[in-house]
Amino acid sequence: MSSFIAPITTDGLLSEAENENLYSKLIDQINKDFNFANEAIDFPQSTSPYELKVQLHEKIYRLIQYKYAELLNLLYIIDVPEDTVKQLDGTDTVELSEQIAFLVLKREWMKVWFRNRY
């Protein structure tokens, strides 16, 4: 039985999801959690990993800029640890949003991975 090893890059994570044929489930999980947090997002199954990465990054960036409380709620619903987010350097919003997007992807991937295994 393999144990979960979190990918260290967004690209690594997305290619792992594709290799395990779980990419569509990852998209479903992201859509589900965002909609549950009232942050409507609807990635079609045809979304490429690159498009997913870019659009998720843009969505997080807009939340940081205009809807910070909603971002915190979203992170709570997805179950991204608050202390992990607080450790990030917030001086560059573009970089911060990229890091948060990765944390979101990582947590969503973990959910999908475990659900598939157990």
Side-chain angles (χ1 to χ4, degrees):
M1 186 171 292
S2 59
S3 59
F4 182 79
I5 299 166
I8 52 169
T9 66
T10 300
D11 294 333
L13 184 152
L14 293 171
S15 74
E16 188 177 318
E18 281 189 307
N19 292 341
E20 299 209 21
N21 294 317
L22 294 173
Y23 181 71
S24 66
K25 288 185 175 165
L26 179 63
I27 288 179
D28 290 342
Q29 184 67 48
I30 292 167
N31 287 340
K32 186 179 113 185
D33 284 343
F34 270 78
N35 290 322
F36 189 64
N38 293 319
E39 281 309 320
I41 203 165
D42 186 24
F43 290 117
Q45 287 296 329
S46 60
T47 306
S48 75
Y50 177 76
E51 291 169 325
L52 179 67
K53 179 170 112 172
V54 169
Q55 291 174 20
L56 188 61
H57 179 220
E58 287 172 359
K59 176 76 173 178
I60 301 287
Y61 180 80
R62 285 193 300 274
L63 288 172
I64 291 172
Q65 294 283 77
Y66 308 111
K67 298 169 85 178
Y68 195 72
E70 289 85 345
L71 172 64
L72 295 178
N73 182 52
L74 173 71
L75 295 176
Y76 176 78
I77 285 169
I78 292 172
D79 195 23
V80 173
E82 198 177 326
D83 55 330
T84 311
V85 176
K86 285 182 175 166
Q87 289 168 8
L88 300 175
D89 177 8
T91 51
D92 180 347
T93 310
V94 173
E95 191 162 314
L96 178 65
S97 56
E98 196 174 314
Q99 291 170 335
I100 291 175
F102 177 62
L103 292 174
V104 164
L105 272 173
K106 197 158 71 166
R107 183 65 187 113
E108 298 289 39
W109 171 235
M110 191 189 283
K111 291 180 193 176
V112 168
W113 190 91
F114 274 108
R115 212 171 283 132
N116 186 57
R117 289 286 185 294
Y118 303 105

